[in-house]
Amino acid sequence: MILAFDTSCDDTSVACFVDSNNYSNIVSSQNEIHKKYGGIMPEMAARKHIENISYLTKEALDKIGVGLSDVDIVATTVGPGLLPSLLVGVSFAKGLAYANRKKILPINHIEGHLFAPFFDKKLTFPFMALIVSGGHTHLFLVKGIGRYELVGKTLDDAVGEAFDKVARILDIGYPGGPVIDKLSKTGNPNRFNIPMGLDKKKTLDFSFSGTKTFVKNLVNKHPNLSKTDIYDIAASFQKSSIDILWKKSLKACEEYNVDVLAVSGGVSANSYLRESFLNKSIKSGIKLLLPSKEMTTDNALMIAFVAHLKEEFATFDYNAVEANPRLKFY
Ligand SMILES: Nc1ncnc2c1ncn2[C@@H]1O[C@H](COP(=O)(O)OP(=O)(O)OP(=O)(O)O)[C@@H](O)[C@H]1O
Ligand SMILES: [Mg+2]
């Protein structure tokens, strides 16, 4: 059994994994705390992780009726992320593993997102992975576990970051992604022709800063926007940014001759993305894999799942497990 922790950013999460039918995944969101600042305050996030982590661990174990004695491996996200936040999960995991003589396994948070779509599905290689989150908009050709080739990435903002910034420009709430998703349902996505970054270029890279600036200029030029205007801008922005994700993903699949696309990260929760990617993938003969909604944004179950895939690497070398906010894996 694997007990996993993720405190890479603002959510505290603890998961227990026995198999894909027997698990728990507890996520304590800090959105209410950071809302009033319009972004995450790292030191506050870390302090909240400290308050929560112990009782969330008990909750995760209790939920599937197991105890610490049943744990074989303790897994923890070691990076990338916010250092104060990472330190809480890493220190707690190390202390718990040491005190209970359990093996420990450090996990890369982005690797967690990458494999989340395969949680209850058969894992086959190669596949194209699109990771769309608050910090990443990356396309990887995945040839095996630990064999990742970066084929495209954002040159500026991540797509989730663009959602958050546009929501701030429109003053519609935090975090921006879920709010834009909700408001877009009543907006007209075809009213504004919002440009798609690097659309006409051959590259598989992305750019969202122009898209965001376009919205900013639109709002500055029209200070008295009605609710309908705001919903239409939100829907048009969402369509433009999600459509370019599909275009580049399809291009990547064609260029690298793969027919499986696995999409993950917080933005893969987006309802327009889920619906349009599904429709377009059927038409293009691509097998699309999406994580369950609970495994899109940060959660410890995705960390436990990677730990399960890599369990032969777990050791008693607690000193080798350290937080690294800039951890790379490609
Ligand atoms: N329904 C949604 N539609 C669009 N974006 C969404 C939705 N739900 C969440 N997001 C966005 O997903 C992002 C959070 O995702 P996630 O938790 O995976 O990112 P992160 O952990 O901050 O970044 P990273 O994983 O790159 O370090 C936020 O930018 C949020 O606005
Ligand atoms: Mg994340």
Side-chain angles (χ1 to χ4, degrees):
M1 193 192 103
I2 295 164
L3 173 64
F5 299 93
D6 185 280
T7 62
S8 57
C9 200
D10 58 334
D11 292 333
T12 322
S13 183
V14 187
C16 290
F17 174 87
V18 180
D19 58 50
S20 53
N21 294 311
N22 189 12
Y23 62 86
S24 61
N25 189 22
I26 314 288
V27 182
S28 169
S29 163
Q30 296 187 12
N31 282 346
E32 282 307 313
I33 297 165
H34 303 284
K35 210 176 190 167
K36 52 181 172 289
Y37 307 103
I40 298 158
M41 304 300 276
E43 286 298 334
M44 288 175 78
R47 262 172 251 164
K48 207 68 200 165
H49 287 316
I50 295 172
E51 273 174 39
N52 287 342
I53 196 159
S54 191
Y55 80 82
L56 293 180
T57 303
K58 184 165 177 344
E59 209 178 312
L61 292 164
D62 288 351
K63 195 153 184 196
I64 58 163
V66 294
L68 273 179
S69 57
D70 300 305
V71 174
D72 299 300
I73 296 171
V74 175
T76 181
T77 294
V78 285
L82 302 169
L83 183 62
S85 292
L86 286 168
L87 281 171
V88 179
V90 171
S91 309
F92 190 83
K94 281 167 79 168
L96 195 82
Y98 176 76
N100 294 278
R101 293 300 296 159
K102 306 290 181 190
K103 285 186 176 174
I104 194 158
L105 191 50
I107 302 292
N108 187 308
H109 177 82
I110 303 308
E111 218 170 356
H113 280 307
L114 191 144
F115 285 106
F118 293 93
F119 180 69
D120 48 5
K121 297 175 195 91
K122 195 170 158 25
L123 181 58
T124 54
F125 301 103
F127 63 88
M128 192 57 68
L130 172 71
I131 302 180
V132 280
S133 62
H136 290 76
T137 307
H138 284 45
L139 274 166
F140 291 102
L141 174 64
V142 182
K143 298 172 198 159
I145 296 166
R147 295 177 59 213
Y148 317 121
E149 183 184 335
L150 179 69
V151 300
K153 67 172 183 351
T154 179
L155 301 180
D156 39 63
D157 292 347
V159 61
E161 190 183 353
F163 269 80
D164 295 335
K165 286 179 177 170
V166 164
R168 219 175 297 153
I169 294 166
L170 296 174
D171 198 19
I172 50 178
Y174 170 89
V179 184
I180 290 182
D181 190 346
K182 192 167 154 223
L183 299 188
S184 294
K185 292 195 165 81
T186 35
N188 173 5
N190 300 313
R191 179 159 159 213
F192 299 98
N193 190 11
I194 300 192
M196 294 193 260
L198 303 177
D199 181 26
K200 302 279 181 277
K201 300 269 189 308
K202 276 184 86 177
T203 173
L204 293 173
D205 288 337
F206 302 92
S207 169
F208 292 97
S209 68
T211 312
K212 175 197 67 192
T213 307
F214 184 92
V215 175
K216 197 170 180 186
N217 291 339
L218 197 64
V219 173
N220 286 345
K221 257 192 246 155
H222 305 94
N224 298 315
L225 293 170
S226 68
K227 271 197 174 161
T228 310
D229 294 334
I230 290 176
Y231 297 169
D232 290 350
I233 296 173
S236 304
F237 160 77
Q238 175 177 271
K239 180 170 166 35
S240 154
S241 30
I242 301 298
D243 285 354
I244 192 72
L245 293 177
W246 169 259
K247 268 183 122 172
K248 299 266 172 176
S249 302
L250 179 63
K251 201 169 150 70
C253 288
E254 287 168 354
E255 271 182 33
Y256 288 87
N257 201 21
V258 293
D259 58 2
V260 179
L261 173 68
V263 188
S264 59
V267 182
S268 68
N270 184 269
S271 28
Y272 174 67
L273 181 150
R274 293 176 86 89
E275 200 186 312
S276 66
F277 269 50
L278 194 61
N279 291 336
K280 290 171 181 171
S281 64
I282 293 168
K283 282 189 197 131
S284 317
I286 299 282
K287 186 176 172 207
L288 177 73
L289 292 163
L290 291 165
S292 64
K293 279 263 179 93
E294 74 162 333
M295 284 183 86
T296 55
T297 46
D298 292 350
N299 67 91
L301 188 58
M302 68 184 192
I303 303 305
F305 184 57
V306 176
H308 159 68
L309 298 175
K310 295 180 142 187
E311 57 189 25
E312 76 263 30
F313 299 109
T315 69
F316 291 100
D317 187 1
Y318 308 115
N319 287 334
V321 180
E322 284 201 62
N324 179 356
R326 294 184 201 287
L327 185 68
K328 292 245 183 275
F329 81 114
Y330 59 90

